[in-house]
Amino acid sequence: MLYYLLYPLHETIGVFNVFKYITFRTFGATLTSILICLMFGNRYINWLKSKQIGQSIRELGPQSHFSKKGTPTMGGGLIITAITVSTLLWSELKNHYIWVALFVLIGSGLIGWVDDYKKVVKKDSKGISAKQKIISQTIVAVAASAFLYWMRDTPPVLKFPFFKDWAIDMGIFFIPFSAFVIVGASNAVNLTDGLDGLAVGPTITTSLTFGILAYCAGHFGIAEYLQIPFVSGAGELAIFLASTGAACLGFLWFNTYPAEVFMGDVGALALGGALGVAAVITKNEFLLVICGGIFVVEAMSVMLQVASFKLTGKRMFKMAPIHHHFELKGWAEPKVIVRFWIISIILALATLATLKLR
């Protein structure tokens, strides 16, 4: 929005020329997003308290979590608001990738909001059934994927990291594959959101890393030099992804241990969906597995736990997702969180290193 309001003024006031640069608008969006969270965080938390929107705790969970009962949840609404406002203010609104990303963010967030609302406000411990949640997520993901397929600027290919010439032309199968990536990422982040700030840290590193990847993919000269797919217009996603990372950073002010507020499904499903659609647009689905390795391991631990119990009657971990396994092994909650953050930073650096390994 600011691009259309202020950039035309550069003809008379030269300083406004900076609004044509994605890098400048990315920094502007970053500051806007984090300030929204910091300025309105306390008010939002107090509003949640006034509505008695508090977290419920599983009786089978670690006993150390019982003290968290009643902590305000559904804080993801603040994150989604910060991302949306800053993205709309600073991005080029004619760019269809921005609208697809916001559609997935808000659509996934609404699904999480309904689930949280039923659990917390309506006191329905089951919330949305797993079947209803997956179907709803799939509808959002398929709609976004179909739009990307029909409006594509580049062939619907699956690129492999480390190899500049390896690619699979997916054709119409791009739609179900992309939907799988988006839904998978959304649920993986949701499973990770079990400790104070645990999911937020890797989301910051992953979104900022993909912001760099998006900028590179949308810049013809850089894409050609790095021998990565050039996706015209993808550079604007750097603004969306920087807003995502900044909103999470601002939210972490209140979500760090001991948390004053939890993001809930409304935040976790939305953030995961945002990362998934960014990976699809920039053709970096495999790099999302590397950069978002924490999310992958968390999701895999749940699947392995279920499979192990059904096949052998024994559990592979003390509790799944795997962060609870380490808690029950005696790791203090802050130690689990910070160590997972460190791993996430290492994975982000490894992801960026792949740009030169082709």
Side-chain angles (χ1 to χ4, degrees):
M1 188 178 298
L2 292 177
Y3 174 80
Y4 298 104
L5 291 175
L6 299 179
Y7 176 61
L9 298 177
H10 78 280
E11 296 181 358
T12 54
I13 306 175
V15 69
F16 288 108
N17 189 56
V18 295
F19 280 89
K20 78 174 182 179
Y21 296 109
I22 291 175
T23 48
F24 174 78
R25 288 185 283 120
T26 297
F27 286 122
T30 300
L31 291 173
T32 301
S33 189
I34 194 171
L35 285 175
I36 288 174
C37 285
L38 292 176
M39 289 174 64
F40 296 98
N42 280 321
R43 298 177 189 177
Y44 188 74
I45 293 171
N46 290 332
W47 178 79
L48 292 173
K49 289 180 179 179
S50 70
K51 299 298 181 179
Q52 297 183 333
I53 301 177
Q55 180 72 27
S56 58
I57 304 297
R58 289 191 304 169
E59 291 185 4
L60 297 177
Q63 293 185 355
S64 60
H65 288 206
F66 292 163
S67 61
K68 300 181 181 184
K69 186 175 181 179
T71 301
T73 188
M74 297 179 73
L78 177 64
I79 297 175
I80 294 174
T81 300
I83 297 171
T84 303
V85 171
S86 56
T87 299
L88 292 176
L89 278 176
W90 292 95
S91 64
E92 185 179 345
L93 300 182
K94 292 181 180 179
N95 185 292
H96 60 270
Y97 292 133
I98 289 294
W99 291 107
V100 172
L102 288 175
F103 170 75
V104 173
L105 175 82
I106 297 172
S108 300
L110 285 174
I111 296 169
W113 184 86
V114 173
D115 192 29
D116 285 336
Y117 183 81
K118 292 186 71 174
K119 289 178 182 176
V120 179
V121 179
K122 295 299 183 180
K123 307 302 179 183
D124 182 353
S125 60
K126 295 181 180 179
I128 301 177
S129 69
K131 183 178 180 180
Q132 290 175 322
K133 185 181 292 186
I134 289 295
I135 291 175
S136 301
Q137 289 177 295
T138 301
I139 291 173
V140 171
V142 168
S145 300
F147 181 83
L148 290 173
Y149 177 77
W150 296 114
M151 295 293 292
R152 63 187 183 275
D153 298 310
T154 55
V157 297
L158 177 63
K159 295 289 293 184
F160 293 84
F162 309 112
F163 303 98
K164 62 181 179 181
D165 298 320
W166 283 27
I168 299 176
D169 190 338
M170 303 187 71
I172 195 67
F173 291 103
F174 168 86
I175 296 176
F177 175 76
S178 299
F180 172 78
V181 172
I182 295 170
V183 174
S186 182
N187 285 307
V189 173
N190 194 33
L191 289 171
T192 306
D193 185 35
L195 302 179
D196 300 359
L198 178 60
V200 171
T203 301
I204 294 171
T205 56
T206 305
S207 58
L208 295 182
T209 300
F210 269 82
I212 295 173
L213 295 176
Y215 180 78
C216 292
H219 191 291
F220 180 79
I222 296 176
E224 185 177 41
Y225 172 72
L226 294 174
Q227 300 183 37
I228 60 176
F230 169 63
V231 183
S232 179
E236 287 290 321
L237 274 181
I239 296 170
F240 170 78
L241 290 162
S243 297
T244 301
C248 288
L249 187 62
F251 183 74
L252 186 60
W253 183 271
F254 308 99
N255 185 232
T256 190
Y257 181 87
E260 300 174 52
V261 63
F262 300 131
M263 72 167 72
D265 285 8
V266 60
L269 292 180
L271 292 173
L275 295 177
V277 75
V280 167
I281 293 173
T282 60
K283 302 188 183 302
N284 286 309
E285 296 91 346
F286 282 115
L287 289 184
L288 180 60
V289 175
I290 297 174
C291 193
I294 291 293
F295 305 132
V296 175
V297 170
E298 293 274 14
M300 289 297 296
S301 70
V302 174
M303 290 186 283
L304 290 172
Q305 184 85 322
V306 173
S308 175
F309 186 74
K310 286 186 175 181
L311 293 174
T312 68
K314 297 180 180 179
R315 292 179 172 82
M316 184 174 294
F317 307 102
K318 292 180 179 294
M319 183 178 288
I322 199 169
H323 55 260
H324 291 318
H325 170 79
F326 289 109
E327 275 193 291
L328 294 178
K329 285 189 65 175
W331 289 21
E333 181 173 342
K335 179 174 287 188
V336 178
I337 296 166
V338 174
R339 285 183 173 176
F340 276 43
W341 286 357
I342 292 171
I343 294 172
S344 180
I345 293 171
I346 294 171
L347 293 173
L349 294 174
T351 300
L352 293 174
T354 66
L355 290 174
K356 293 298 292 181
L357 299 176
R358 296 172 185 264

